[in-house]
Amino acid sequence: MQTFNIVGKNIRRNDALEKVTGTATFSSDLNLPGMLHGKVLRSPHPHAKILSIDTSEAEKYPGVKAVATWENTPRVLFNTSASMTFTVPHLTPVLDQYIFDQVVRYVGDEVAAVAAVSEEAAAEALKLIKVEYELLPAVFDPLDAIREDAPIIHESKTGKNISGEIVNIQLGDTEAGFAECDLVLEETFKLPVQKQVQLETQAAVARVGTNGEITVYSTTQTPHPSKMILAGIFGIPQSKVRVLNPPYVGGGFGVRIGLSAKAEPIAVALAQLSGHPVKVVYSREEDFIASDTRHGGYVTIKLGAKKDGTFHAIQLQSRLNGGAYCSFGGEVPGVLGAMGLSVYRIPHQSYQGYTVYTNRTPAGAMRGFGNPQAMFAIESMVDMMAEKLGMDLLELHRKNIMQVGDTWCLPYACSSTGLMECMEKAAQSIGWERRGKLNQPGDTKRRGIGMGVGTHVSNSWPFCVDYDNALITIQQDGSVLLSSGVPDIGTGTTTTLPQLAAEVLGISMEQIYMTFADTLTTPFDIGSHASRTLYAAGTAVIAAAQDAKQQILEYAADLLDTPAERLDIKEGMVHIQGQPFGICYGSDACKMGNAKFTSITLKDLAYYAHLRNKQFIGVGRIIPANAPPWHAHFVEVEVDTQTGVIQIIKVAAAHDVGRAINPKIVEGQIEGGVVMGLGYALGEEILVDDKGKPQHTGIHKYFLPTAMDIPEIDAMYVESIDPTGPFGAKGVGECGLVPTAPAVATAVFDAIGIRFTEIPMTPERVYKKIKEQKRM
């Protein structure tokens, strides 16, 4: 078995001390000399045309330096999501947003913004802006929005209010496949709009230089693509735009892949108009109503099987609520279909999915990116199939899950799978053999056990543009600087990527430092999303480290009078393999080749090279492959049939992570994902009233799981060692919530015999179902 010095170890996070002592800097902490504060006026209407806007009184308010509207800001269409920079050549990015427009399309849409010497002055000035609206008809549900009589929200060549492409996937002949099945089931599932509720709200601080160059500190997950978007909006060369995190970001979960809603362009526009740096920080309410959500909508599934439980045909359809602007509306349906069809070996498959414009807050990327929607429907349907066939649900999974080498719809191979091991470990942890045996007649609190499985991606290639660069620079004192354009959004990037480099270079973690998330100091990187950072950016880091190491060994070969291939680096010492080292310490003592020695410290070698006009700089430039992570969640619940309250007793979450580079960080990702998945299953949902006004506008109104709701979580990992990943690793970040909701739903069915085709399973919905079905 291969052994490692750094990889696989619970190295303490490099950002830990700053964060626990409160010294870590986030965008909202920044203050620049002469900085103003920006505030945004938002639409109270779901759909309206602005007939006139009078800012004269606002401009006179004491302390106000600039007022921005559609009349004095760039009229350049863009898309706040990075999809306008990710979209592969055969597709066309959907550009449907201005900084401010004459038409508002949801409650919360941007109308104007004010920059003033204080937040209070800016807020007061907003009240003085007079806007005359012509109200337009609005629509809030995707099925209503595609009707012939629905209002047009954006013109679309694809179909009535359809944003982006209609995604079709076909494998085999589903019509013939269903005809050959012994049992066919069909059901439609309704999914909620969920919010990321990341700790730090959307924020940006913009400064415009005397030559027009722009610097933006922000909460983006993708500094380099964000630079491209801003350069396009403001019509300046990308080389004059710098985007960076300052350096930390308070969570992401997909909500700022691209711009941080519109915080960056609004801050830049106000900075250009006022001549001062401007900070824009969204309130929590603004973050809820004017920042992308998860797509709600409808997923319909038709599944056919043979009598022995072999799945034979599947047909999947999604119609998602995209809200007022496209954002990632072109990409999410594709991931929903592709991931949903990749879990089971089914010879006949088809999928059609699309996103629909409505007059609601735009939907975009959120952890899982369409996959949780697919797997709630599919895994619920698999449980229905097990019930109809009279089979054990776990056994039905064992019979049908994908195996290495199987044909699937994805454009890359199924290179590894640890799903079977995940299921066995989680089943043992939860005590699967107890399923169906937990209750007595007359029990009003009834327990049940359920399960769900899934897969995901380790980056977005080849579905989207996806590539990475990294630099490894050996300093003259032998310390190492790693440069990568990815951010650390709380996922431990600034620890795990140095772990990879340290392992390759044979140095300690204390010898390596990382600069990150700054377009001025790092090479282009597509950013942190799609569970890709460790897998894809890590592959670039390894390539850079290997390049630097090769340069070091080739340079040392002459000095040690030994071929490079016989040299290695261990504990910061360049040495001849198989021979003891420690003979040469101190650059002077290493006598510049006057006598033979078998090793030299990297510190001495780097300085020795420096004196001879040489520095070791490793370059990593990669296009990542892709690898499927796998996951199985088993859940035990208790349902109070007198109140409808579902209590989660335990979650056993087993994940195939390829290799755990830092096990503690992996377990943290799994646990966090599970909690988010429980919120998706049980309480989180943004509703609007009949006027399109969001009813959940802050944490106090939105039913996030709290510390009191978090059950025992047994987070386990399986290492299948994928051949394409850095030291065998796969993506982890999004996987923790993919199978959680169906695991809860199937456990609830086991407890009370009621099937839920709509989530969240709030106490009200559960109690109503119990009453309707007279189960208690």
Side-chain angles (χ1 to χ4, degrees):
M1 175 183 287
Q2 191 175 8
T3 59
F4 303 101
N5 296 314
I6 308 291
V7 163
K9 304 294 192 296
N10 289 318
I11 304 294
R12 193 185 74 178
R13 288 176 59 139
N14 285 330
D15 58 345
L17 189 60
E18 283 181 283
K19 289 184 175 174
V20 300
T21 58
T23 58
T25 304
F26 297 83
S27 295
S28 52
D29 297 322
L30 290 179
N31 285 295
L32 301 180
M35 188 182 78
L36 305 176
H37 299 268
K39 286 288 183 183
V40 180
L41 180 66
R42 299 188 178 280
S43 170
H45 306 296
H47 200 189
K49 183 177 181 180
I50 296 174
L51 299 179
S52 66
I53 182 165
D54 182 355
T55 63
S56 56
E57 294 301 316
E59 292 168 12
K60 297 174 186 174
Y61 192 83
V64 170
K65 301 297 182 183
V67 179
T69 70
W70 70 271
E71 295 174 320
N72 61 355
T73 50
R75 299 295 292 166
V76 176
L77 282 168
F78 62 96
N79 184 329
T80 55
S81 81
S83 65
M84 70 178 287
T85 65
F86 286 1
T87 304
V88 289
H90 67 281
L91 299 173
T92 303
V94 178
L95 310 181
D96 57 7
Q97 291 175 279
Y98 295 104
I99 304 175
F100 304 101
D101 196 7
Q102 288 174 274
V103 175
V104 289
R105 296 178 174 86
Y106 69 97
V107 174
D109 208 349
E110 291 80 8
V111 175
V114 170
V117 295
S118 68
E119 288 186 70
E120 293 75 17
E124 287 301 316
L126 287 184
K127 299 174 185 175
L128 302 176
I129 298 175
K130 298 171 185 173
V131 185
E132 183 182 2
Y133 295 99
E134 176 190 345
L135 300 188
L136 302 172
V139 63
F140 310 114
D141 184 90
L143 300 186
D144 294 334
I146 56 177
R147 294 163 56 108
E148 285 190 10
D149 58 349
I152 294 175
I153 301 169
H154 294 277
E155 294 290 347
S156 170
K157 295 179 181 177
T158 311
K160 183 71 173 286
N161 283 326
I162 293 176
S163 61
E165 305 287 328
I166 295 176
V167 180
N168 290 288
I169 300 173
Q170 185 73 44
L171 188 67
D173 184 340
T174 46
E175 186 175 347
F178 282 121
E180 295 165 355
C181 291
D182 297 311
L183 180 62
V184 177
L185 302 177
E186 183 171 359
E187 187 61 78
T188 295
F189 297 83
K190 186 176 181 182
L191 292 313
V193 171
Q194 188 186 23
K195 197 75 189 76
Q196 295 85 352
V197 200
Q198 74 289 347
L199 276 177
E200 186 182 19
T201 62
Q202 308 285 27
V205 180
R207 178 175 57 202
V208 179
T210 52
N211 294 321
E213 69 272 18
I214 295 171
T215 300
V216 180
Y217 301 85
S218 84
T219 50
T220 179
Q221 296 176 226
T222 55
H224 287 273
S226 295
K227 180 184 74 171
M228 297 170 63
I229 298 171
L230 291 172
I233 295 172
F234 292 98
I236 64 173
Q238 293 178 22
S239 55
K240 293 182 72 172
V241 180
R242 179 189 185 188
V243 176
L244 68 160
N245 299 147
Y248 294 116
V249 178
F253 310 124
V255 75
R256 29 210 179 204
I257 302 173
L259 302 181
S260 306
K262 289 187 183 173
E264 291 97 340
I266 291 173
V268 172
L270 290 173
Q272 286 183 329
L273 290 169
S274 68
H276 291 266
V278 175
K279 177 160 75 173
V280 173
V281 179
Y282 280 30
S283 67
R284 182 60 68 182
E285 179 173 347
E286 286 180 297
D287 205 272
F288 261 79
I289 68 170
S291 183
D292 284 2
T293 66
R294 185 188 299 286
H295 289 77
Y298 302 88
V299 173
T300 299
I301 177 172
K302 182 177 179 182
L303 178 64
K306 303 283 188 163
K307 288 180 180 176
D308 66 355
T310 302
F311 296 162
H312 193 63
I314 185 172
Q315 190 175 65
L316 195 63
Q317 181 188 49
S318 71
R319 291 151 295 176
L320 302 179
N321 192 335
Y325 299 98
C326 182
S327 184
F328 282 104
E331 289 81 5
V332 169
V335 174
L336 191 157
M339 294 299 101
L341 295 179
S342 301
V343 178
Y344 297 105
R345 52 205 313 190
I346 305 175
H348 305 289
Q349 307 179 346
S350 69
Y351 169 73
Q352 183 185 76
Y354 52 88
T355 300
V356 182
Y357 286 120
T358 65
N359 294 110
R360 293 193 56 168
T361 299
M366 183 173 171
R367 197 177 196 175
F369 204 85
N371 203 346
Q373 293 95 316
M375 294 317 298
F376 172 67
I378 291 171
E379 288 298 272
S380 295
M381 175 57 78
V382 171
D383 194 36
M384 294 177 190
M385 184 63 77
E387 178 196 4
K388 293 294 184 184
L389 291 170
M391 287 186 67
D392 175 74
L393 180 58
L394 176 57
E395 190 56 36
L396 190 60
H397 279 81
R398 290 190 182 113
K399 190 177 188 66
N400 287 287
I401 60 171
M402 192 71 67
Q403 304 292 335
V404 172
D406 281 347
T407 299
W408 64 357
C409 64
L410 300 179
Y412 50 87
C414 178
S415 51
S416 61
T417 174
L419 181 54
M420 187 68 78
E421 187 177 350
C422 287
M423 292 194 303
E424 302 303 336
K425 290 182 77 166
Q428 183 177 11
S429 175
I430 206 74
W432 182 257
E433 70 281 357
R434 299 180 299 127
R435 192 179 200 230
K437 305 171 186 174
L438 295 172
N439 303 300
Q440 300 296 322
D443 286 348
T444 56
K445 290 186 176 181
R446 300 182 66 82
R447 291 203 172 188
I449 295 175
M451 66 171 289
V453 303
T455 185
H456 200 60
V457 294
S458 292
N459 68 93
S460 58
W461 181 252
F463 309 106
C464 297
V465 173
D466 196 317
Y467 64 101
D468 301 83
N469 300 290
L471 299 174
I472 293 280
T473 305
I474 312 298
Q475 305 296 302
Q476 286 72 13
D477 63 357
S479 63
V480 175
L481 180 64
L482 163 62
S483 304
S484 171
V486 294
D488 190 334
I489 57 175
T491 55
T493 302
T494 50
T495 304
T496 51
L497 294 185
Q499 280 186 256
L500 299 176
E503 184 69 47
V504 173
L505 289 170
I507 60 175
S508 69
M509 285 291 286
E510 288 71 30
Q511 284 181 264
I512 187 165
Y513 182 77
M514 180 175 173
T515 181
F516 58 99
D518 184 345
T519 60
L520 189 66
T521 63
T522 64
F524 184 91
D525 192 285
I526 209 75
S528 184
H529 72 102
S531 300
R532 68 181 306 283
T533 311
L534 187 280
Y535 177 87
T539 300
V541 168
I542 287 180
Q546 289 172 335
D547 186 25
K549 182 177 181 179
Q550 186 62 30
Q551 294 174 37
I552 293 167
L553 298 184
E554 289 177 356
Y555 192 83
D558 288 340
L559 202 61
L560 298 177
D561 195 23
T562 303
E565 54 269 25
R566 287 194 55 208
L567 302 179
D568 201 358
I569 310 174
K570 185 177 181 182
E571 299 176 9
M573 187 78 75
V574 183
H575 69 100
I576 301 172
Q577 297 181 48
Q579 294 192 25
F581 55 88
I583 293 175
C584 178
Y585 289 103
S587 56
D588 291 334
C590 287
K591 53 198 149 327
M592 312 307 181
N594 292 333
K596 287 183 68 68
F597 49 90
T598 60
S599 63
I600 183 172
T601 66
L602 184 57
K603 176 180 179 180
D604 287 326
L605 184 68
Y607 190 66
Y608 178 88
H610 162 68
L611 294 178
R612 288 154 182 78
N613 305 315
K614 170 70 176 178
Q615 185 172 24
F616 310 113
I617 302 175
V619 179
R621 290 186 289 244
I622 65 103
I623 300 170
N626 215 321
W630 300 92
H631 22 270
H633 287 189
F634 285 58
V635 174
E636 182 172 350
V637 303
E638 182 176 87
V639 183
D640 187 332
T641 59
Q642 296 182 312
T643 65
V645 171
I646 298 171
Q647 181 182 358
I648 306 298
I649 305 301
K650 178 178 178 179
V651 179
H655 286 245
D656 169 15
V657 302
R659 185 187 298 281
I661 302 301
N662 187 315
K664 278 296 179 190
I665 290 177
V666 169
E667 290 169 12
Q669 286 286 325
I670 294 172
E671 290 174 358
V674 166
V675 174
M676 191 172 272
L678 293 177
Y680 190 52
L682 298 178
E684 294 184 44
E685 181 177 30
I686 294 181
L687 300 173
V688 297
D689 66 14
D690 60 355
K691 304 295 184 186
K693 184 177 181 181
Q695 300 300 291
H696 303 88
T697 56
I699 293 173
H700 64 296
K701 296 179 182 176
Y702 184 73
F703 295 100
L704 276 177
T706 69
M708 297 295 289
D709 300 313
I710 296 175
E712 175 187 356
I713 300 174
D714 187 4
M716 299 165 278
Y717 61 84
V718 168
E719 295 186 315
S720 61
I721 316 299
D722 191 88
T724 66
F727 295 102
K730 304 178 181 179
V732 176
E734 298 174 276
C735 305
L737 64 75
V738 170
T740 314
V744 173
T746 54
V748 170
F749 178 76
D750 183 49
I752 61 174
I754 295 176
R755 191 74 68 185
F756 285 85
T757 57
E758 180 180 3
I759 52 173
M761 291 171 280
T762 61
E764 291 84 356
R765 287 195 178 116
V766 174
Y767 185 75
K768 184 180 179 184
K769 279 266 193 179
I770 290 171
K771 287 296 182 185
E772 287 174 352
Q773 300 192 16
K774 299 179 180 178
R775 289 299 179 119
M776 297 294 159

